[in-house]
Amino acid sequence: MTMAAHLDMFAPKPHPLESIWDELPEDAKADPDDLRYYQRDQLNAIMAAFKAGAKSQLMVSATGSGKTRTFGTVAKHWEGPVLVLSHNGELIDQAVKALERITGEYVEIEKAEWTSSPRTRLVVGSVQSFNKARLERLGKHRFSLVIVDEAHHFLAKTW
């Protein structure tokens, strides 16, 4: 094996992008968030499933792998209002900051005494605050996408 062939073995291989990525607008392809290849794969799979008529998706990734960045990019390219549900104040604050950075949009909070405006597209809320009265105030069709952060908590009685 020549030295050039040996070094070529270690050259990064281009990542094949799914068709959905190719269909995103040019500004999404040159994404300022610099999604990693596996985050692009997750984004592609999520968007392809929704495009095919799926009503829900579950994204599973290791701690620190950029789930917030990925769901933030989904929210960025989603055309309608988006609600992100979380179970504690720290995760709510992190999601607000990340969504504002990723989307460039203002994000409101819906929890305890905080209420969101009906005109705000991106809302992060506390699961515990979404009682019947709050849901009625917001309206059944207020959000076209609901993202559940830390979905493994979904089975807890507090949810």
Side-chain angles (χ1 to χ4, degrees), residues 26-152:
E26 285 302 315
D27 67 324
K29 290 182 197 176
D31 197 275
D33 306 313
D34 279 335
L35 293 177
R36 298 179 182 113
Y37 71 91
Y38 57 86
Q39 292 167 325
R40 285 195 306 265
D41 286 348
Q42 291 168 328
L43 174 66
N44 293 335
I46 290 166
M47 299 306 279
F50 281 137
K51 187 175 181 181
K55 300 294 182 199
S56 64
Q57 294 293 300
L58 176 65
M59 181 178 79
V60 179
S61 290
T63 300
S65 63
K67 291 179 289 293
T68 304
R69 178 180 278 177
T70 304
F71 79 62
T73 304
V74 170
K76 176 180 180 178
H77 298 290
W78 193 261
E79 292 185 16
V82 177
L83 170 64
V84 176
L85 286 176
S86 196
H87 70 285
N88 70 41
E90 182 181 347
L91 291 174
I92 290 169
D93 293 342
Q94 287 175 4
V96 168
K97 290 175 187 171
L99 283 168
E100 286 182 340
R101 181 181 43 75
I102 292 165
T103 65
E105 295 180 52
Y106 180 68
V107 178
E108 288 191 354
I109 295 175
E110 185 78 34
K111 75 172 190 175
E113 70 279 354
W114 299 45
T115 58
S116 60
S117 161
R119 294 176 301 281
T120 302
R121 189 177 86 82
L122 300 171
V123 176
V124 178
S126 162
V127 169
Q128 295 83 354
S129 293
F130 275 79
N131 55 32
K132 185 176 181 179
R134 184 164 286 202
L135 290 171
E136 286 174 0
R137 180 185 59 79
L138 289 168
K140 185 177 178 180
H141 301 287
R142 166 70 173 90
F143 299 101
S144 61
L145 177 65
V146 177
I147 297 170
V148 178
D149 192 11
E150 302 282 336
H152 61 279

Side-chain angles (χ1 to χ4, degrees), residues 2-21:
T2 68
M3 180 59 126
H6 180 71
L7 291 176
D8 192 44
M9 286 179 14
F10 299 102
K13 304 292 186 234
H15 183 73
L17 298 176
E18 302 281 336
S19 62
I20 292 296
W21 187 257

